[in-house]
Amino acid sequence: MTDSLSAPIESLNYNDQPILTPPKQTTYTFFTGPPSSPYSINTLSDGTLSTTACLPLLTNTTSLPDQNPYNIRHHDAALIACYSPHPLVPALQSHLQAQNEEKEPVHNIPVIGIFEASISVALQLLSSSPTCPSPTPTSSSQPNPRPGQTRKFGIISTGPQWRSILSSAITAAPPPGTSSSGSSGAALGAQFADRVFAGVETVGVDAGDLHPSSPSTTSAPPLPPPATSPPATSAPIPSDPCPATIKQKVQAATARVLARGDVGVIILGCAGMAGMEEWVREEVDSGGQTGVRVVDGVKAGVGVLQGLLRGGY
């Protein structure tokens, strides 16, 4: 799955902007959790396990760049490409803050997750999207939208467990001292979320099944590798890494999100969905919907970090 992120990220063309003086080039390092981490993040517990496995590799302060290329201190920003309230985000933020306060000061290194980034981008897009032109008949269990009512964002995710996990994270109260605008994270608060959040629909497969393939070549081994470490087992490589059935499931979930009414933004709620925007747009167009934007969480995260770095923040 990690390998599938390179092309969508490079397609943003941040390294092809000659108007910048001097040109600001970006080198991307793609990190996959070691064999001790879960193959796929399917629950909140998996997120905790992956944090336990990944954090030591990302924060090894004694390593030189050629010894551990994944050390966060050798980078200017970090994007956690798991669409969830992943504990690795605050863990890395806390580590960097502690180093700045107690040990060796380091330059500011922003850390964000694709979950939080996509919500922030979706809210920005909704703020400039067309409002509902007129009431639309709905079932008695759903209120009719008022003319001028703000559109909402919906999320397409993987397994059905993510409906409640993501919804709970979004409707949770924002941390003290932050606003319910999504700029400080994904927690919007129940009242604000009711105005802008349409809900979550899922495709019925786990993240690891979106791109079934052999383990990523960018997987990080433990440091140092155990002398008796067994070789990683390889899953069968299918002839089509994105089979038609996955496309059908993604488009079916898109149709269900749109059926919730007044959706102005659809978010691809999994890093493994990077590059699947066209499938969503096809379904949007086939249903005659207009003004619906599609947000790729990975691209949103890269864009947020690029803005911070290029702006000198």
Side-chain angles (χ1 to χ4, degrees):
M1 184 187 299
T2 305
D3 294 337
S4 70
L5 303 183
S6 178
I9 290 175
E10 292 292 352
S11 73
L12 296 172
N13 294 324
Y14 280 108
N15 287 336
D16 187 23
Q17 299 182 17
I19 61 173
L20 296 174
T21 305
K24 296 182 182 296
Q25 300 297 305
T26 303
T27 298
Y28 300 101
T29 301
F30 296 91
F31 169 84
T32 298
S36 58
S37 62
Y39 172 71
S40 177
I41 307 298
N42 301 322
T43 65
L44 292 177
S45 297
D46 287 340
T48 300
L49 291 173
S50 70
T51 298
T52 300
C54 295
L55 191 62
L57 292 171
L58 297 172
T59 59
N60 186 318
T61 58
T62 62
S63 64
L64 298 175
D66 57 343
Q67 295 175 323
N68 180 12
Y70 307 115
N71 192 329
I72 192 172
R73 286 170 56 88
H74 307 321
H75 298 81
D76 297 296
L79 177 65
I80 309 305
C82 175
Y83 203 88
S84 70
H86 203 293
L88 186 56
V89 175
L92 280 174
Q93 292 171 338
S94 297
H95 169 80
L96 293 170
Q97 183 179 9
Q99 281 204 321
N100 279 333
E101 293 177 353
E102 302 173 7
K103 299 180 181 178
E104 305 172 46
V106 296
H107 63 283
N108 182 47
I109 302 175
V111 179
I112 193 172
I114 60 174
F115 180 39
E116 297 83 0
S118 72
I119 302 300
S120 178
V121 170
L123 293 178
Q124 292 296 324
L125 292 175
L126 288 176
S127 68
S128 59
S129 67
T131 54
C132 303
S134 60
T136 303
T138 58
S139 65
S140 58
S141 62
Q142 297 178 339
N144 287 326
R146 300 183 301 274
Q149 178 177 327
T150 301
R151 285 185 165 187
K152 300 181 178 183
F153 70 86
I155 299 173
I156 299 173
S157 188
T158 50
Q161 69 275 15
W162 291 109
R163 292 194 193 103
S164 60
I165 294 174
L166 298 179
S167 296
S168 296
I170 290 171
T171 57
T178 62
S179 64
S180 58
S181 64
S183 59
S184 300
L188 305 181
Q191 185 174 5
F192 185 62
D194 185 61
R195 291 170 45 201
V196 299
F197 176 47
V200 181
E201 292 291 346
T202 58
V203 300
V205 299
D206 289 331
D209 297 325
L210 290 173
H211 295 277
S213 63
S214 60
S216 170
T217 57
T218 56
S219 177
L223 296 177
T228 58
S229 176
T233 57
S234 297
I237 301 177
S239 57
D240 184 355
C242 292
T245 53
I246 297 297
K247 179 178 180 179
Q248 293 170 359
K249 290 176 181 294
V250 169
Q251 292 187 328
T254 300
R256 294 194 298 273
V257 169
L258 293 172
R260 292 173 176 255
D262 312 317
V263 172
V265 175
I266 296 178
I267 300 174
L268 298 177
C270 178
M273 292 180 178
M276 298 182 183
E277 302 102 310
E278 288 305 315
W279 296 355
V280 175
R281 292 191 182 101
E282 284 180 14
E283 183 62 30
V284 170
D285 293 342
S286 69
Q289 300 282 345
T290 59
V292 179
R293 313 289 285 275
V294 182
V295 173
D296 179 332
V298 174
K299 290 183 178 180
V302 172
V304 169
L305 292 176
Q306 287 279 3
L308 291 172
L309 295 176
R310 292 167 185 261
Y313 297 108

